Amino acid sequence: MAKKYSSLILMTLPGVLYLFINNYLPMLGTFIAFKNINYTKGIFHSDWVGFKNFEFLFKSHDAFIITRNTLLYNGTFIIVNNLVIALLVALLLNEIKNRFARNLYQSIMLLPFLISFSIVGYIVLAFFSIEHGFINKVIFPFLHIQPIEWYLESKYWPYILVMVNTWKYVGYSSLIYFAAMIGINQEYYEAARMDGANRWLQMTKITLPLIRPVVIVVVLILIGRIFYADFGMFFQVPLNTGILFSTTNVIDTYVYRALLVTGDIGMSSAAGLYQSTVGFVLVIIANMLVRRWDKESALF
């Protein structure tokens, strides 16, 4: 058997090696989360402190805020961006029959995904700057609205961050669904057209049901990372403004700032382990629910 598929096994080796080095080998370092790292003693000989490193997440007065923000933002991103807007964009792309126009739209939508958040932060600043922003200087005077000090008002930032996330990631997310739609056998659509089905019926009765397994897998993967926030977005876009922390501070940015102050890698490792463990449990629970609903669409 191994000899028969030797060429395929050889092709998979680079991916397996990358997966082992990047995903499995670092698991050996999880014990750091339970130690008080002392560089003079070394990692292995540092004092064992048990769950003490986890206390800074749960006993901090910011624990509720950062957990709430992380869950609500990621939940919103999953529902709004991946289940609604990205799916809608993919359906619209699938309806474009001109190949050149379709490739052009794909390239334009994918472009924001390739821009780093350092640049995105300044693009957002160009729109929302208090003194020179496009909205305060052009849009609001035209509508006779008083300028808003965006970087001093935390209540606006949940909406701004959702819009930024949509703009940056919806193109990439839609391409995943669009790739699944391309693989659908065209004979289904031909038979539907012969029966008099319009495009709306073709989308709702053929396209969406056939790509449902892909949608479920994407959502399960995103649920597994629901406790991980996009550090670049939450740190760079609000420009690390302290007055906005009530709505922009998430677990990742909180751990980063705590690490800068204390330099304790044990605490940051504890936070990472906590995020991974909760994400793993959520994936298991979500997959169990999917199996009850549709066994064939479950991830495992």
Side-chain angles (χ1 to χ4, degrees), residues 234-273:
F234 288 99
F235 187 82
Q236 298 284 358
V237 174
L239 302 181
N240 196 26
T241 307
I243 200 171
L244 305 178
F245 282 176
S246 61
T247 55
T248 62
N249 203 12
V250 290
I251 294 176
D252 297 77
T253 54
Y254 177 78
V255 171
Y256 172 76
R257 295 184 184 106
L259 185 61
L260 286 180
V261 174
T262 63
D264 190 343
I265 63 172
M267 292 195 305
S268 60
S269 299
L273 181 59

Side-chain angles (χ1 to χ4, degrees), residues 3-234:
K3 186 176 181 180
K4 182 180 179 181
Y5 297 104
S6 58
S7 58
L8 294 177
I9 294 173
L10 188 63
M11 289 175 61
T12 61
L13 280 179
V16 172
L17 184 62
Y18 171 81
L19 192 66
F20 174 75
I21 295 174
N22 192 64
N23 293 75
Y24 287 92
L25 199 59
M27 289 183 183
L28 298 174
T30 55
F31 71 92
I32 296 176
F34 304 95
K35 286 201 167 193
N36 181 20
I37 300 300
N38 188 329
Y39 294 104
T40 59
K41 296 181 180 179
I43 293 176
F44 294 102
H45 296 92
S46 295
D47 298 332
W48 186 272
V49 294
F51 290 95
K52 189 176 180 180
N53 286 328
F54 293 84
E55 293 179 0
F56 92 107
L57 271 179
F58 300 106
K59 289 189 176 181
S60 168
H61 65 280
D62 295 323
F64 172 75
I65 294 175
I66 60 176
T67 303
R68 178 203 64 187
N69 290 348
T70 305
L71 288 174
L72 290 180
Y73 277 121
N74 285 333
T76 303
F77 297 157
I78 292 173
I79 295 172
V80 175
N81 295 351
N82 290 276
L83 289 181
V84 179
I85 300 178
L87 197 55
L88 178 62
V89 170
L91 288 169
L92 294 176
L93 279 175
N94 194 46
E95 293 299 313
I96 300 175
K97 304 306 178 185
N98 186 301
R99 188 173 181 179
F100 174 79
R102 189 168 62 186
N103 291 339
L104 178 63
Y105 295 147
Q106 288 177 355
S107 302
I108 293 173
M109 289 189 301
L110 191 61
L111 183 61
F113 179 75
L114 305 176
I115 302 175
S116 72
F117 268 113
S118 298
I119 299 175
V120 172
Y122 285 103
I123 294 175
V124 174
L125 179 63
F127 277 89
F128 294 100
S129 173
I130 298 172
E131 297 179 355
H132 307 291
F134 179 77
I135 294 178
N136 278 346
K137 287 297 182 182
V138 178
I139 302 297
F140 282 179
F142 179 76
L143 299 175
H144 305 289
I145 300 175
Q146 291 297 320
I148 297 176
E149 297 181 337
W150 301 97
Y151 287 86
L152 298 178
E153 297 282 350
S154 61
K155 63 182 179 181
Y156 299 111
W157 281 89
Y159 307 101
I160 295 173
L161 291 173
V162 170
M163 288 190 294
V164 171
N165 184 271
T166 302
W167 173 77
K168 185 168 174 61
Y169 289 113
V170 74
Y172 175 79
S173 301
S174 65
L175 291 183
I176 297 175
Y177 298 138
F178 180 61
M181 294 176 187
I182 292 176
I184 298 175
N185 194 329
Q186 294 300 311
E187 292 180 359
Y188 292 120
Y189 297 104
E190 293 174 5
R193 283 193 291 269
M194 291 178 64
D195 290 338
N198 55 29
R199 288 193 172 186
W200 173 255
L201 288 175
Q202 292 175 39
M203 284 192 295
T204 56
K205 302 299 182 181
I206 298 175
T207 307
L208 289 177
L210 290 178
I211 69 167
R212 185 175 62 185
V214 176
V215 175
I216 291 173
V217 169
V218 170
V219 171
L220 286 175
I221 293 173
L222 293 173
I223 288 175
R225 296 191 60 82
I226 199 168
F227 266 75
Y228 285 89
D230 194 326
F231 175 82
M233 181 175 67
F234 288 99

